[in-house]
Amino acid sequence: QVRLVESGGGLVQAGGSLRLSCAASGSISSPNTMGWYRQAPGNLRDLVATITSSAMTNYADSVKGRFTISRDNAKNTVYLQMNFLKPEDTAVYYCNTRSYQYSVWGQGTQVTVSS
């Protein structure tokens, strides 16, 4: 089994920053892709950013230039640095890791941006 543990969510004012972390443990396969998705009330779960084992990244247009995804392969951890936060970024942020063998989700962490 692969398990994900998320941290770093919280309340921040517009224009502020947060950094999310997600650590994977267990029977991790390689290569794999790790990423962040978010879901606001009444909305679908949307892609925020993903990063492969070789550090190729993909971002939603709404966060390009503001968010940066990175990973530490030695720690099996993915990060999301969120700068210049906006109220529209308010959502539950979910970590995901996928390989040819599995796709696993974390439990989510709340990010709230006040105006």
Side-chain angles (χ1 to χ4, degrees):
Q1 294 182 336
V2 177
R3 300 173 67 182
L4 301 175
V5 179
E6 301 154 327
S7 62
L11 175 64
V12 67
Q13 291 185 318
S17 299
L18 285 173
R19 190 176 82 149
L20 306 183
S21 299
C22 174
S25 62
S27 301
I28 301 167
S29 296
S30 184
N32 63 70
T33 297
M34 302 186 76
W36 293 94
Y37 298 74
R38 66 188 182 186
Q39 187 168 19
N43 291 1
L44 300 175
R45 187 174 298 184
D46 295 326
L47 168 77
V48 178
T50 60
I51 184 167
T52 68
S53 298
S54 59
M56 180 175 291
T57 59
N58 182 41
Y59 293 92
D61 288 342
S62 60
V63 306
K64 286 180 180 177
R66 299 189 298 121
F67 292 8
T68 302
I69 190 169
S70 61
R71 64 187 289 165
D72 185 334
N73 290 336
K75 296 181 179 179
N76 293 313
T77 299
V78 63
Y79 306 93
L80 185 68
Q81 179 66 46
M82 303 185 292
N83 298 324
F84 306 104
L85 282 161
K86 304 174 181 179
E88 65 194 69
D89 296 318
T90 295
V92 178
Y93 283 69
Y94 295 91
C95 182
N96 173 266
T97 184
R98 67 176 187 267
S99 69
Y100 291 116
Q101 289 77 36
Y102 56 73
S103 179
V104 178
W105 293 91
Q107 293 184 335
T109 184
Q110 177 70 46
V111 172
T112 302
V113 184
S114 62
S115 60

